[in-house]
């Protein structure tokens, strides 16, 4: 990503405590701290009162806007104390709205007046803070209220108490409603710090299943053992599941303990499947650390491993006890791992979540989780509606099985007997191509028109994802591999767009599939 959309942006009046709370919040979250007024002073070599006195308020506002834009251009999520008057500018409000979670530190006018005292160094409240503050409040509070997604009242509260209230407000719970197996998905920056409180109360020990390269540490709050699985998609095998179960046995994990999966889709698939088998089922909590995992793979209880004959052909439905989607873990994702997650997000554009990419990151993840939770609640075991979540995946899985694309967490080809491409497509990139292919197939079947195909191309390109088949593809081989897809119970079966929306379409003629593949490949030559 070119810039983080997961900043925490503190807005509010002078005297609300943005500077003090911001610095302490940043330390608590392990993030950089930025103050837009200090940024202006560093850029100009002048204090804010000096700028007002020598250059005027309009010049200060220009410097303020430039400093804010510079602060928010960082790829690393930060806590930013935003100057109180920055919200007066339409452009600033637009930048803030798309850069992260805006938190309004709200205070009563009398609280502000008491804190400001004589207003020394505060140009806009001179010469009488008691008269100026209510006037500024009337002007700015509607803007704060409209902009902020979180409001925290600071009256009669110590800074550390405000910090804790803000931290709690930054995360949200999305409920997956499945009767007595319902659970929460906790989403937001720093969410993994809540892990101990999300474990089942009966658990006395935890087995933390992860990979060496994940680099995310968790504190289960109980005695734990660490189990590292091999890296990459190749680890998704029956042999790895057996090895995990044997490690659980050697560690003395009982059916009343808990497995904690920390990583992307490979880890949650493996740990979830092992948890479903070991002692005929133990609790599992997923701590998802990739964008793909947070918006899709860790939610809904589908677990599985690969066979030489195809992806995810052996597995189980095993709902987690809880899921943690800490968006802070996404800041260090490699670019192509990030793109892999974007492929799944592009899919959601055709399931009712258009224009996700204009939202702050935590909100994007939360909305994807909310939609998937609703679909899973309707169809837990993929007997109907849930299959729409595989939109774009039939071709993607075939590309992965053919060795032309890598699965989640893998950088090399998956299939055997074929040299690995220099840069194999990632899972999400293959899904993006699968979306375009599915749209072209749907048009050939008379389900959608050319404008709808163009919309698929527009979304995929907006996310910076590929839309054409990779070099070296064999259409006949792809058709054969797609015929092995788990949905293919009645001939070639695809999830396709149409007048009623995205749905499963069985019995598709191979000729139409080959024509759609040729059209998707022809664009490369063009």
């Amino acid at each position: 990503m070119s810039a983080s959309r997961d900043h925490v942006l503190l807005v509010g009046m002078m005297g609300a405590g943005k500077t003090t709370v911001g610095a302490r919040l940043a330390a608590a979250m392990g993030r950089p701290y930025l103050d837009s007024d200090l940024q202006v002073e560093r850029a100009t070599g002048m204090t804010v009162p000096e700028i007002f006195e020598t250059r005027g308020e309009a010049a200060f506002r220009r410097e303020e806007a430039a400093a804010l834009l510079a602060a928010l251009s960082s790829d690393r999520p930060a806590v930013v104390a935003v100057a109180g008057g920055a919200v007066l500018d339409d452009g600033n409000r637009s930048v803030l709205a798309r850069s992260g979670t805006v938190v309004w530190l709200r205070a009563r006018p009398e609280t502000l007046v008491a804190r400001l005292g004589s207003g020394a160094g505060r140009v806009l409240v001179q010469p009488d803070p008691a008269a100026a503050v209510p006037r500024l409040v009337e002007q700015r509070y509607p803007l704060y209220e409209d902009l902020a997604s979180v409001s925290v009242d600071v009256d009669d509260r110590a800074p550390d108490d405000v910090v804790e209230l803000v931290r709690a407000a930054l995360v949200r719970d999305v409920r997956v409603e499945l009767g007595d197996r319902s659970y929460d998905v906790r989403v937001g920056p720093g969410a993994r710090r809540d892990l101990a409180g999300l474990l089942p109360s009966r658990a006395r020990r935890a087995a933390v299943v992860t990979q060496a390269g994940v680099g995310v540490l968790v504190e289960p709050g109980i005695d734990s053992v660490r189990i590292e699985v091999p890296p990459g998609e190749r680890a998704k095998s029956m042999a790895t599941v057996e090895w995990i179960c044997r490690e659980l046995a050697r560690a003395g994990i009982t059916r009343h303990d808990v497995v904690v999966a920390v990583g992307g889709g490979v880890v949650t698939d493996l740990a979830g499947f092992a948890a479903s088998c070991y002692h005929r089922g133990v609790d599992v909590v997923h701590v998802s650390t990739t964008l793909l995992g947070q918006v899709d793979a860790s939610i809904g209880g589908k677990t599985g491993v690969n066979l030489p004959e195809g992806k995810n052909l052996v597995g189980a439905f095993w709902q987690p006890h809880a899921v943690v989607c800490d968006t802070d873990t996404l800041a260090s994702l490699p670019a192509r791992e990030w793109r892999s997650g974007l492929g799944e997000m592009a899919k959601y554009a055709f399931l009712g979540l258009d224009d996700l990419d204009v939202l702050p990151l935590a909100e994007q993840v939360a909305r994807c989780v909310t939609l998937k939770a609703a679909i899973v609640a309707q169809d837990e075991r993929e007997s109907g509606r849930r299959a729409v979540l595989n939109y774009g995946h039939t071709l993607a899985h075939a590309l992965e099985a053919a060795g032309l694309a890598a699965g989640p967490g893998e950088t090399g080809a998956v299939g055997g007997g074929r040299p690995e491409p220099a840069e194999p497509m990632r899972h999400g990139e293959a899904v993006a191509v699968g979306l375009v292919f599915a749209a072209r197939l749907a048009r050939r079947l008379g389900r959608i028109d050319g404008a709808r195909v163009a919309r698929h191309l527009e979304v995929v390109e907006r996310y910076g994802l590929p839309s054409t088949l990779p070099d070296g593809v064999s259409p006949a081989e792809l058709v054969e591999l797609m015929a092995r897809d788990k949905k293919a119970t009645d001939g070639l079966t695809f999830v396709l767009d149409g007048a009623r929306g995205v749905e499963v379409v069985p019995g598709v003629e191979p000729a139409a599939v080959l024509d759609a593949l040729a059209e998707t490949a022809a664009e490369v030559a063009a």
Side-chain angles (χ1 to χ4, degrees):
M1 50 184 170
S2 58
S4 172
R5 289 186 175 173
D6 203 27
H7 296 300
V8 177
L9 308 159
L10 303 180
V11 301
M13 285 282 293
M14 60 186 84
K18 298 188 299 294
T19 299
T20 302
V21 170
R24 297 186 188 188
L25 178 64
M29 297 181 70
R31 289 185 169 202
Y33 169 67
L34 298 170
D35 184 301
S36 62
D37 275 348
L38 291 178
Q39 296 291 102
V40 170
E41 291 182 350
R42 288 174 184 150
T44 61
M46 304 170 66
T47 66
V48 172
E50 287 172 343
I51 298 172
F52 267 82
E53 182 178 351
T54 62
R55 299 172 56 188
E57 182 175 356
F60 171 76
R61 295 301 176 198
R62 289 193 295 272
E63 295 287 353
E64 180 180 63
L68 185 62
L69 189 61
L72 299 181
S73 65
S74 169
D75 286 350
R76 185 179 178 190
V79 174
V80 182
V82 180
V87 298
L88 298 173
D89 181 80
D90 291 344
N92 289 345
R93 292 199 303 276
S94 177
V95 169
L96 289 168
R98 64 176 184 264
S99 296
T101 303
V102 180
V103 181
W104 177 19
L105 300 187
R106 183 170 54 195
R108 295 190 298 267
E110 53 267 33
T111 297
L112 299 172
V113 171
R115 290 183 178 182
L116 290 171
S118 66
R122 309 281 191 172
V123 177
L124 292 178
V125 298
Q126 297 300 326
D128 183 2
V133 166
R135 184 175 65 253
L136 293 173
V137 163
E138 183 179 3
Q139 177 191 37
R140 296 178 183 181
Y141 272 31
L143 299 174
Y144 295 145
E145 184 173 13
D146 182 63
L147 181 63
S149 54
V150 174
S151 299
V152 175
D153 290 316
V154 302
D155 304 288
D156 305 318
R157 289 193 169 112
D160 287 341
D161 294 332
V162 176
V163 168
E164 289 309 308
L165 288 171
V166 173
R167 287 183 63 184
L170 290 174
V171 298
R172 72 196 77 181
D173 287 337
V174 178
R175 190 74 170 167
V176 182
E177 294 288 355
L178 292 169
D180 59 0
R181 289 171 295 102
S182 298
Y183 57 92
D184 288 326
V185 181
R186 185 153 296 181
V187 182
R192 69 183 184 278
R193 293 178 173 84
D194 300 333
L195 174 62
L198 296 173
L199 299 185
S201 58
R202 68 179 184 176
R204 296 295 175 265
R205 301 190 71 216
V208 178
V209 180
T210 188
Q211 291 173 314
V214 169
V216 174
L217 300 179
V218 297
E219 294 291 342
I222 55 178
D223 183 48
S224 63
V225 60
R226 180 182 174 94
I227 300 173
E228 285 191 7
V229 298
E233 180 82 4
R234 290 186 181 88
K236 284 182 57 174
S237 68
M238 293 295 292
T240 305
V241 172
E242 178 186 355
W243 178 78
I244 293 173
C245 290
R246 295 184 68 182
E247 289 294 301
L248 295 174
R250 282 191 279 267
I253 299 297
T254 74
R255 68 188 310 172
H256 298 300
D257 293 323
V258 63
V259 172
V260 179
V262 182
V266 170
V267 173
T268 55
D269 262 354
L270 283 167
F273 189 24
S276 77
C277 301
Y278 183 70
H279 280 312
R280 298 185 177 88
V282 298
D283 287 322
V284 62
V285 173
H286 297 314
V287 180
S288 183
T289 64
T290 65
L291 182 61
L292 187 153
Q294 291 189 10
V295 302
D296 190 77
S298 65
I299 317 299
K302 280 175 65 175
T303 71
V305 297
N306 304 329
L307 297 177
E309 290 75 17
K311 284 179 59 68
N312 297 324
L313 292 182
V314 180
F317 287 95
W318 189 248
Q319 296 297 338
H321 181 81
V323 178
V324 177
C325 297
D326 185 344
T327 52
D328 276 350
T329 66
L330 306 180
S332 59
L333 280 184
R336 296 201 71 194
E337 186 66 38
W338 180 259
R339 280 159 58 85
S340 194
L342 292 179
E344 293 289 349
M345 295 186 76
K347 168 192 74 178
Y348 282 111
F350 303 101
L351 302 180
L353 294 181
D354 207 357
D355 297 328
L356 272 176
D357 59 318
V358 303
L359 300 172
L361 176 59
E363 183 64 24
Q364 293 181 47
V365 173
R367 291 200 185 186
C368 291
V369 170
T370 300
L371 178 58
K372 181 161 187 180
I375 292 173
V376 169
Q378 296 170 15
D379 178 21
E380 179 183 2
R381 294 182 174 268
E382 204 170 64
S383 59
R385 167 76 173 151
R386 183 168 176 172
V388 302
L389 293 168
N390 285 320
Y391 191 39
H393 284 61
T394 305
L395 176 60
H397 288 165
L399 289 168
E400 290 166 3
L404 294 164
E410 180 75 346
T411 57
V414 176
R418 179 197 304 275
E420 293 186 357
E423 284 195 14
M425 302 180 80
R426 300 304 302 272
H427 173 76
E429 294 170 332
V431 169
V433 176
L435 292 172
V436 174
F437 158 77
R440 287 172 168 154
L441 178 59
R443 181 178 59 185
R444 289 183 176 276
L445 298 178
R447 296 178 55 83
I448 61 175
D449 60 16
R452 187 63 172 168
V453 176
R455 176 61 179 156
H456 281 70
L457 281 164
E458 177 190 346
V459 169
V460 165
E461 291 170 359
R462 193 173 71 202
Y463 278 105
L465 295 164
S467 60
T468 59
L469 291 171
D471 294 337
V473 68
S474 166
E477 181 184 7
L478 291 180
V479 171
E480 180 182 348
L481 290 167
M482 287 189 282
R484 299 179 192 169
D485 187 84
K486 297 186 295 300
K487 299 183 298 299
T489 57
D490 183 13
L492 281 164
T493 301
F494 295 89
V495 178
L496 298 176
D497 200 4
R500 295 187 299 271
V502 174
E503 60 188 354
V504 177
V505 179
V508 178
E509 291 295 326
V513 177
L514 287 168
D515 287 344
L517 287 172
E519 185 180 1
T520 306
E523 190 178 322
V524 177

